Every structure is written in structure tokens, then in C-alpha cells.
Amino acid sequence: IMSEKAPLLHYRLIGTKDPDNAASPTGVTVESDARRAKGKNPRKLGVVFGVIIPTLLSMFSVVVFLRIGFVVGQAGLYQSIAMFLVAYFIITMTVLSVCAISTNGALDAGGAYYMISRALGPEFGGSIGIMFFFANVCGSALYILGLVEAIISAFGIPEGRVMPSGYWWSVLYGTVLLFLCLIVCLVGAHIYAKATFIIFIVVMTALASIFISFFIVEPKVVMLPDTSVNITSPVTTNYTGLRLHTMERNLWPDYTVDYTTGTMMNFATVFAVMFNGCTGIMAGSNMSGDLKNPSYSIPRGTLAAVLITFITYNLLSLLAAWSCDRRLLQKDYSFLGDINIWQPLVTMGIYSSTMSAAMSNLIGASRILYALAKDNLFGGVLALARKTSLSGNPWASVLISWLLVQVVLFSGKLNTIAGIVTIFFLLVYAAVDLACLALEWASAPNFRPSFRCFTWHTCVLGILGCLVMMFLISAIYAFASIAFMLLLLMLIHYLCPTSDWGYISQALIFHQVRKYLLMLDVRKDHVKFWRPQVLLMVANPRSCTGLITFINDMKKSGLYVLGHVQLGLLDGLPFDPLQSHYDSWLSLVDHLNIKAFVNLTLADSVRHGVQNLLFITGFGGMRPNTLVLGFYDSCTPQDHLQGKILQCKGHGMDGVSPTKDPQEQHPPFFPNLRGVEDTKDLQEEEYVSVIADTVKMGKNVALARYFSHFHRDEILGSGQRVGGHYGRSGPFVDVWPLNLLRPDSRGYVDTCSLFLLQLACVLHESRAWSQTRLRLFLCVEAGWSLQEEEAKLQVMLKELRISAHVQTVAWDQVVSIQSLIRKHGAPPPAVRFLYLPRPPADTSRYQAYLHQLDLLTQDLGPTLLIHGVTPVVTTDL
């Protein structure tokens, strides 16, 4: 899944020698091209240093030190444990999906964005990457605000009489701390990388001291901070030590006002704060490029870290509920320092963990933004973020990320943005589960992860869990974030250049199409649900763009295939010469904006090639039932593509995206048109033989003439002008449902005539042709009543639910059929539908047959000669 042009992403923990690539537990880092050029491989890490430690550092931060008492004090022990069970159920399902994706093949360099985008395509990867970016931005602000809260709690007025407190002071302190993070990211990111292990030791030591303190510290009175909520409330409360009666009072929820924000708490708001201690589970997959054995280390290390944090959080909740008065838990979020054997140790743990998490989120956000910009998923929107220093540090991405974090800091309080951060991470986790589910449901043979402890059921459970908790926390934020992600997906789908990463949408579409094609049983076909499925034979697209677009309007959501026969034999050729032509034909399909497939074949004659296409084109119940041929005449073909460059388009979920690079746009390969003196590849007898073969195979056939004169935009455009005349309701479509070579007034009800009527009606019902009017000509011989015959025809049209203007034509003194058609075709119609007689059985009469057709349609304008062999209309329900 690697690409030389793709950003080379990796994560480093310790021993980093590149000053621009620091550890980023919640994000990704970028390996400079200079390093790869020098051949310096990053240090290979194992399970502990490569996965467990960075994941623990990502999860142990604000919640473990500053919000564990808040959770228990508000929700009680029972609901606290329930919250952790729900949260860890969600992240465990997501971890299983991450492990499955990350172990699907040999990973050289990682990062959740890079991994998912290369596995699932730019739409999924880009939208998830943007959500990761904003999650890291908000997460960095959250940790900065948590650190500000801890500093004010320790040194702010009136406690320390050192630092003033208040909203703007908190913003100022947060700005200063964030500026320090910015300096490290711009100048000394390697210092943070080397200090990561030291930070981990400090955090683990602080946690160990907290657990020990619960057992050895004697009961004491704890001074509460000035909450400014109720001035009559006591300013002291008790730490009772491990007492059963204390636990009994802390078992059930007691939601009250949060003294930092002044808002009333409930299950959803408390869960939103608590869940921030469960994020960071993707740190191991982000390090895939530095692991000795990613397939082994990522699943084991991530699951081990999740288990450790789950046990730690629940033990802390139990000990806090067992030893601390409810008021202490609700009114002093930094109580762990007050009851510790050595308070500075907890303070060091808080400062180091929150600063580490804030910095890693800032670094991660900048690296994700840089990777998105380098992948050019949003065109020039992120062009600035691609700028780097001489050493490869993406300073522009760092500055953009820093600016956004600064904006989020104006929220002022940790609990205020906790819900937004949680929803972002829940949405990202749901997207990861959805990605894994898509890979599993697509049944792609190359999706063979070595980690098999997952099924589509775990993916669905993870998605449902994430969505339910998102809407419980905030339905408005949940709707807004989902809409934002879908908007990103659509923007990337339509705007990003074509990539060679692979598209999960194509795999899913293939899987579903195959399934439904198998369900499309030809034995259940019924005339009520008939629709035209057309194979249009194209000798050279340069001369028949008008016919191609016309047939696209007439297909009525049916199968439409452009067929082409190239003369030649595969014997003696080193490879199939047609494979290199498909891109040109698909570019033509995109240029003409039609919905058609392309099928090319190599044959020793045109007749055999058409036979091959009629035999093999389509699958199951989706096979052509109508063959359309250009008319055989001596007209010189006109080049309608001359001077035009068709832009190649890459296909995504269900659309196309134009190539941005002009150097990648080439004119499609189509040979020059034959000249006046050039001989045709097809002779008259062979042409009529193709018609006869088609009828023998039970297919309908149509011959199209003068469609080089068909200009769709002029005919159907503004004013509905046709041949210099304006129709009151648009142009006419003339229908002559009678064998004009063998006149018979009673021939309106045979299969061929009804098929002709049906095709004309299908064309009329298409959106582009809805303003046209059907004009049906009734030919009556002398001696027959015009009114009676017209009434019969009107009754038939009513039964068939076809709306058409009937015009009677007398056969008396008719000398030239062609003149008759021209005489009664005023104003000139947009197109004419004529009855095509069956070819004669005697092959010696083929030339005469073709000559009669030539005389019949000469100078009539766009004309379609149609011969139908299958019933297509019914009067039954």
C-alpha cells in the first residue's frame, strides 16, 4: 500500500535523530525524504516501547489525574463503572478494526490516515484524516486547558496568592503554554521525542504513589478550592481513608453543578469528559513504520495497553469512592494531590502528562495536515500547508494547527470542549469501524489480515456504539459532525485527482452488482418490464458522436454498450492490441457524459466481430436485446472530435473526477476517418448479413442514418428550433409504423410496428425529449374510411397509453415513398422512426434490399430504421 509519491509517515518514540520528526501518540509524523535518501532506517521497536508505552501516554493524561474524582463524584461508582464499560466496549471494537487493517500486509510506514487512505481510497482516507486533524486540534486545546486548571488550582488566588485567575487570565496562561509547545514543534521536536520515556516514568511513578497513598495516608480534612458557586457551603471536607460507609454514600449518582463551568451535569456530559481518557488507542498503528513486526506488535501492544488503562481507571474509581467524601470529589478535581504522600509528585505527573499530550496532539495535527496537503486531496486549498523547512519540518502546517488550537482555547474550560472532542473521536472510531466493515463486506481477496479476532459483527457493534453515544452527548454536534464528514467525503470524491491507492467503493459496487446480477433471472422476464438494452456498433467515434448521444437518450435506464470491431487475428501478436484502447473509449464516454459500457473485440471480419459481441456482451439478464448500426452509404464521414482534447476522468463511489495535471491529459487514440477514395472494411453483402444474423439471434435491429446532422443541443435547446421552424411545444418525432416497401393498412399491429411505437414512446418519455411531440402517420388505401381507420388506431394508442398526434396519409397516386415522407413531414422533425423490413432470404438480393433502403431514407435527415422481433407492449396490469 506504499507509493513513492505518497508522504512517508512514521512515528518515533525514543532515539530520534531527526529533529523534525517527534513522537506523536495521537497523530502521525513525517519522515523526511533526505533521511530515506541517506538510507538511514528508523530504529525498530518492539511491543513495549513501540506500542504499549506510547498508547499508555496517550490515554493517561487529564482524566486520570484531574477528572477521575469528577466522574465518581457526579455519577457514583456504579455509573462510573458502567461508563468505563461502555467506553471500553466502543474502543475495543475499534481496536479490533485497527488491528485488522494494520495487519493486512507488510506495513513499512504508518499513521492511521496514511494506512486507511491507502487501503480504502482518498474519499475515506481524506475525510477520516480531516476528522483526525480536528480531533487532535481540539484535544491539544483540551490538555492545555487541563494544565491551566491544575496551575490555577495550585498557585491561583486565593490559594497560592501568586497568580490571578479568571477567564481572560486562563486564556493568557493557555496561550503562553501553547506558545511553548509551538516553539518545541518548530525548533526542538527531537527534545520532546527523547524525553518521552522520562515522561512515561514520571507518570507511572505518580500513578504508583496515588495507589499507595490510598492505603497509607491517614484520614484528614481537605481544604476545598473557592468554587464561587455557593458562598455558604463549607470550605473543607474529609478524606476518610478506606471506609465502607464512605463507599455506600458514593455508590449512586448525585449529579450537580460543575464548579468550573457552572452547568448542570448528567450522564452524557460526564461521559463526554471521561471518554477523553480512552482516546489515543491508535498510537500503535501510527508507529507501524518503526516496529520490528507490526503484525505482531500492534494487536498485542494495543490490547495490552487498553486492558491496563481499563483496570487502572476502575481501580482508581473504586478507591476514590471507598475513601473520599462526595463533596471532595465534586468540588476539588485535583484532590489526588491533596491526599498524596508527596503532593509535588502528583503535580509533576499532571504537568508532564498534560503537556506531553498537548504537544503530541499539536505535532500529530500538523503532520496529518501536512500529509493531507502533500496528497493534494483538496487541490490548492491546502497548498500553504505543504511548505517545509530545509530540514523537512512542515512549519506551515505547525503554524496552522497552532492557530486553530489557539482559537479553541477561547472556550476557556476543559469541560466545555470535552463533548466536542469526544464526538470527534467517536466519529473517527466509527469511520474506522466502517472502513474495516467495508473491507470485510467487499470480500476482496487481498484483504487477509493476520489478526483474525474480528468479524463484521464487531465492526457493526463498534459503529452503533459510537453513534449512540455521539447522539446521547449532543444530538446537534453529532448531526453537524456527521454532515461535515459527509461533505468532506463528497468534496474529495469530486475534486481530488485520480489516485492509484485503490477505491473501496469500487470493490463494494462490484460485490453488490455481482450479487444482484445472480438474482436477475432471465426466466422471470416479463413484457411489462421490458426496456431497451442497446449494443451500438461504432466504427470510429469521430464521426458518430451525435448517434452515441441520441441512443443514450433512448436507452430508458437500460444497458448501453458501445461496441467496436478491429480487424485482425491474435495469432502472431505479442499481446492484445485492444487493451491499450480502452482508456480512450472510456474518456469518450466521460466527455459525452453518457452512461455506457465499452466492449471491443478483435475478429477476422466485421460480421464475425458483431456476432462475437452479440454472443458475449453482458451478464445474465443484462444482455443487449437491440443492435444499432450506422447506415451503409457513400457519405463522407465528418470528424466531430477534431481539435478536442478529452480529459481523462477517474472513477470513484458512483461518479467521476477530472484530472488536475494538464500533463496527464492526452487526446484519446482514435484513427483518422477514411477518405473519399478509401475502401470500407465492410461490403454491402456482409452488412446485410449482419442484419440477418441479428434477426436470427432473436435481437431487434435498428439502422441509423444522417445522425452526423443530428445536433442535440440545437434541437432540444432553447427555443426548440428545428430546421428553421419552431414547434409550439417542441420538435416532432415522426413515426411511420408501417412497412413502406410493402404497404398494408392493416400492418399497425404486428410485432415490428409495436416495437417501433414503443421505442418512439421511450424516447419521448426521457427527460431531455419530454417537450417533443409524437406524430404518427396512418397510411390508408383508397376505398377505406379514413375516420374509421383513425378511430381504430386511436383506440390502440389509448390501450397502449401512448400519446401521439395521428395524421392520415392516402396511398392514392403515390409515386415515391420518400417524397411522401418529405411532403407530410412539415415542419421537419427532430428524428424519424421508420419500419425496417426483414432482409430477404436470398442473399443475391441483399444489394437490391440495401438499395431500396437507401432510396427510402435519402435526404430525410436523422432517421432510424427499426425491425423488432420481440413483444414489448402489453395492455395488462
Side-chain angles (χ1 to χ4, degrees):
I1 61 176
M2 295 294 299
S3 171
E4 293 181 0
K5 294 182 179 180
L8 303 171
L9 311 179
H10 80 290
Y11 168 86
R12 300 193 58 80
L13 177 64
I14 58 174
T16 302
K17 296 182 180 180
D18 190 341
D20 304 309
N21 297 329
S24 177
T26 54
V28 293
T29 57
V30 181
E31 179 183 19
S32 65
D33 294 333
R35 166 177 291 180
R36 287 184 63 86
K38 295 178 181 179
K40 296 181 179 180
N41 295 323
R43 180 176 179 178
K44 296 298 182 180
L45 303 174
V47 177
V48 176
F49 288 98
V51 182
I52 295 180
I53 289 180
T55 304
L56 290 178
L57 275 180
S58 300
M59 301 179 75
F60 284 151
S61 54
V62 171
V63 171
V64 71
F65 289 112
L66 294 178
R67 287 299 183 269
I68 199 71
F70 163 80
V71 174
V72 177
Q74 296 284 349
L77 181 61
Y78 288 158
Q79 287 197 8
S80 297
I81 295 176
M83 288 182 184
F84 284 116
L85 288 174
V86 172
Y88 274 84
F89 171 79
I90 292 174
I91 66 171
T92 300
M93 298 298 102
T94 305
V95 166
L96 298 181
S97 298
V98 171
C99 293
I101 298 176
S102 62
T103 59
N104 184 39
L107 297 180
D108 180 40
Y113 155 69
Y114 183 80
M115 176 178 59
I116 294 174
S117 63
R118 267 54 179 183
L120 304 182
E123 298 101 338
F124 257 109
S127 56
I128 293 175
I130 288 292
M131 301 309 294
F132 262 124
F133 169 71
F134 283 112
N136 279 284
V137 165
C138 295
S140 180
L142 181 141
Y143 296 130
I144 290 289
L145 292 175
L147 181 55
V148 169
E149 180 181 306
I151 293 174
I152 292 178
S153 177
F155 303 105
I157 298 173
E159 285 78 2
R161 299 292 193 273
V162 176
M163 301 176 65
S165 59
Y167 170 78
W168 288 109
W169 286 108
S170 297
V171 172
L172 176 62
Y173 302 149
T175 301
V176 173
L177 293 172
L178 179 59
F179 185 76
L180 294 177
C181 294
L182 174 65
I183 296 300
V184 173
C185 292
L186 291 176
V187 180
H190 64 291
I191 300 175
Y192 166 68
K194 292 181 179 179
T196 303
F197 185 68
I198 299 175
I199 295 173
F200 176 75
I201 295 298
V202 172
V203 172
M204 291 298 106
T205 303
L207 275 176
S209 71
I210 290 173
F211 280 107
I212 294 173
S213 299
F214 278 117
F215 292 96
I216 66 174
V217 172
E218 297 294 329
K220 56 188 295 188
V221 176
V222 179
M223 184 72 67
L224 294 176
D226 181 13
T227 63
S228 301
V229 175
N230 187 357
I231 59 175
T232 63
S233 61
V235 293
T236 61
T237 188
N238 297 321
Y239 166 74
T240 64
L242 301 178
R243 296 290 186 271
L244 186 60
H245 64 85
T246 304
M247 178 182 288
E248 291 175 348
R249 291 196 294 266
N250 290 330
L251 290 177
W252 302 102
D254 182 21
Y255 293 107
T256 184
V257 175
D258 170 29
Y259 74 86
T260 64
T261 62
T263 58
M264 187 67 184
M265 294 292 101
N266 53 48
F267 182 92
T269 55
V270 173
F271 178 87
V273 175
M274 180 276 300
F275 192 80
N276 288 281
C278 305
T279 57
I281 58 175
M282 296 186 183
S285 61
N286 291 338
M287 291 192 59
S288 57
D290 292 302
L291 301 176
K292 294 178 181 177
N293 188 349
S295 299
Y296 177 87
S297 301
I298 291 175
R300 289 165 175 79
T302 304
L303 291 173
V306 168
L307 180 61
I308 291 172
T309 56
F310 177 74
I311 294 174
T312 302
Y313 283 138
N314 281 278
L315 284 179
L316 283 176
S317 300
L318 175 64
L319 293 174
W322 199 351
S323 61
C324 298
D325 185 75
R326 176 73 69 128
R327 182 170 292 274
L328 175 60
L329 299 176
Q330 292 179 339
K331 302 301 182 183
D332 186 3
Y333 296 159
S334 59
F335 78 100
L336 291 177
D338 299 332
I339 65 173
N340 199 266
I341 52 177
W342 190 45
Q343 183 174 357
L345 190 59
V346 176
T347 303
M348 291 172 58
I350 295 174
Y351 292 175
S352 60
S353 65
T354 52
M355 198 67 176
S356 169
M359 200 175 304
S360 67
N361 274 264
L362 180 59
I363 295 173
S366 64
R367 269 43 176 189
I368 293 172
L369 183 62
Y370 174 71
L372 288 166
K374 196 171 181 181
D375 282 344
N376 197 30
L377 296 184
F378 295 92
V381 176
L382 297 180
L384 178 62
R386 289 197 291 266
K387 295 184 179 298
T388 61
S389 63
L390 294 178
S391 59
N393 185 27
W395 60 268
S397 297
V398 173
L399 289 176
I400 294 173
S401 303
W402 164 76
L403 182 63
L404 292 177
V405 174
Q406 180 63 59
V407 172
V408 179
L409 284 180
F410 283 100
S411 62
K413 297 295 181 181
L414 183 153
N415 287 8
T416 302
I417 63 171
I420 300 175
V421 176
T422 298
I423 286 177
F424 270 128
F425 274 107
L426 283 172
L427 185 58
V428 168
Y429 294 163
V432 173
D433 287 322
L434 180 61
C436 187
L437 178 66
L439 285 171
E440 179 70 7
W441 277 357
S443 300
N446 283 320
F447 183 60
R448 299 188 298 270
S450 57
F451 180 83
R452 298 303 306 170
C453 298
F454 80 100
T455 66
W456 68 268
H457 303 85
T458 60
C459 299
V460 171
L461 289 174
I463 294 171
L464 293 178
C466 291
L467 294 179
V468 168
M469 293 314 303
M470 283 174 59
F471 283 94
L472 283 179
I473 293 171
S474 174
I476 296 177
Y477 288 158
F479 272 119
S481 58
I482 292 175
F484 179 65
M485 184 173 179
L486 292 177
L487 176 62
L488 288 174
L489 192 146
M490 297 300 293
L491 285 175
I492 297 173
H493 176 68
Y494 286 107
L495 298 180
C496 79
T498 305
S499 74
D500 57 356
W501 303 347
Y503 293 81
I504 188 61
S505 58
Q506 294 298 300
L508 291 172
I509 291 171
F510 177 88
H511 182 72
Q512 293 301 111
V513 167
R514 182 195 64 85
K515 181 173 68 174
Y516 287 112
L517 276 175
L518 291 173
M519 297 171 61
L520 193 59
D521 192 344
V522 294
R523 295 168 297 182
K524 298 179 181 178
D525 284 347
H526 194 279
V527 65
K528 290 189 298 184
F529 306 110
W530 180 91
R531 66 182 68 241
Q533 303 196 91
V534 182
L535 171 62
L536 172 62
M537 297 306 303
V538 179
N540 193 325
R542 293 183 179 275
S543 61
C544 55
T545 56
L547 178 59
I548 293 174
T549 55
F550 174 78
I551 299 299
N552 183 69
D553 290 336
M554 198 178 65
K555 68 181 186 301
K556 188 62 175 179
S557 302
L559 179 67
Y560 183 23
V561 181
L562 301 181
H564 173 73
V565 178
Q566 180 169 321
L567 296 181
L569 293 175
L570 201 57
D571 298 341
L573 295 178
F575 54 85
D576 182 4
L578 298 177
Q579 294 303 316
S580 60
H581 296 176
Y582 271 96
D583 284 346
S584 295
W585 284 82
L586 294 175
S587 298
L588 175 74
V589 169
D590 294 332
H591 172 72
L592 297 178
N593 194 26
I594 61 175
K595 297 179 180 179
F597 298 95
V598 174
N599 206 349
L600 313 180
T601 188
L602 191 68
D604 58 351
S605 68
V606 174
R607 180 183 181 184
H608 290 163
V610 175
Q611 289 178 357
N612 294 339
L613 291 176
L614 286 174
F615 277 126
I616 67 174
T617 300
F619 295 95
M622 289 193 67
R623 291 183 178 276
N625 55 32
T626 304
L627 176 70
V628 179
L629 301 171
F631 194 80
Y632 192 95
D633 56 25
S634 58
C635 295
T636 303
Q638 302 175 9
D639 192 345
H640 299 288
L641 295 180
Q642 187 175 10
K644 296 182 179 179
I645 296 180
L646 311 190
Q647 296 184 355
C648 298
K649 298 184 179 183
H651 296 267
M653 283 190 231
D654 52 358
V656 293
S657 304
T659 299
K660 302 296 184 185
D661 189 357
Q663 296 182 353
E664 296 181 5
Q665 298 175 1
H666 305 283
F669 172 78
F670 297 125
N672 294 327
L673 295 173
R674 62 177 175 84
V676 178
E677 298 180 356
D678 296 334
T679 59
K680 297 182 179 180
D681 295 332
L682 184 66
Q683 300 305 313
E684 293 179 347
E685 292 81 1
E686 187 180 4
Y687 178 81
V688 180
S689 296
V690 171
I691 301 174
D693 293 342
T694 305
V695 175
K696 292 177 184 178
M697 297 171 66
K699 309 289 186 183
N700 311 296
V701 64
L703 309 182
R705 190 174 193 185
Y706 294 123
F707 275 87
S708 60
H709 303 156
F710 177 80
H711 303 289
R712 183 176 184 273
D713 294 337
E714 295 180 8
I715 294 174
L716 304 178
S718 176
Q720 307 294 339
R721 183 173 182 130
V722 182
H725 300 274
Y726 289 89
R728 289 177 299 173
S729 300
F732 284 109
V733 173
D734 284 1
V735 183
W736 294 78
L738 183 68
N739 187 348
L740 297 177
L741 299 183
R742 297 180 59 187
D744 182 0
S745 61
R746 302 179 183 275
Y748 286 101
V749 292
D750 68 357
T751 300
C752 185
S753 297
L754 294 177
F755 181 82
L756 190 147
L757 280 172
Q758 179 78 323
L759 279 190
C761 182
V762 166
L763 178 67
H764 173 67
E765 289 178 349
S766 66
R767 180 179 302 177
W769 291 75
S770 60
Q771 298 300 317
T772 60
R773 292 179 292 169
L774 294 183
R775 186 165 56 181
L776 183 61
F777 292 91
L778 172 63
C779 299
V780 181
E781 294 179 350
W784 292 92
S785 172
L786 296 179
Q787 292 78 9
E788 182 180 349
E789 294 301 318
E790 182 176 353
K792 291 180 181 179
L793 184 58
Q794 291 286 6
V795 170
M796 185 186 72
L797 293 175
K798 184 177 181 180
E799 291 178 348
L800 296 177
R801 290 89 59 203
I802 296 177
S803 176
H805 169 69
V806 178
Q807 184 171 331
T808 57
V809 177
W811 282 105
D812 300 337
Q813 301 179 5
V814 172
V815 178
S816 170
I817 299 297
Q818 189 261 4
S819 300
L820 176 72
I821 297 174
R822 291 175 59 88
K823 175 182 177 182
H824 292 276
V831 64
R832 287 182 173 92
F833 284 71
L834 302 184
Y835 189 112
L836 174 66
R838 187 185 182 104
D842 186 358
T843 58
S844 63
R845 299 173 54 194
Y846 278 1
Q847 287 188 346
Y849 169 79
L850 191 57
H851 179 65
Q852 288 179 320
L853 297 180
D854 179 49
L855 294 177
L856 175 65
T857 58
Q858 191 171 15
D859 297 327
L860 288 184
T863 302
L864 211 60
L865 287 159
I866 300 169
H867 184 84
V869 298
T870 56
V872 294
V873 295
T874 179
T875 58
D876 299 331
L877 289 177

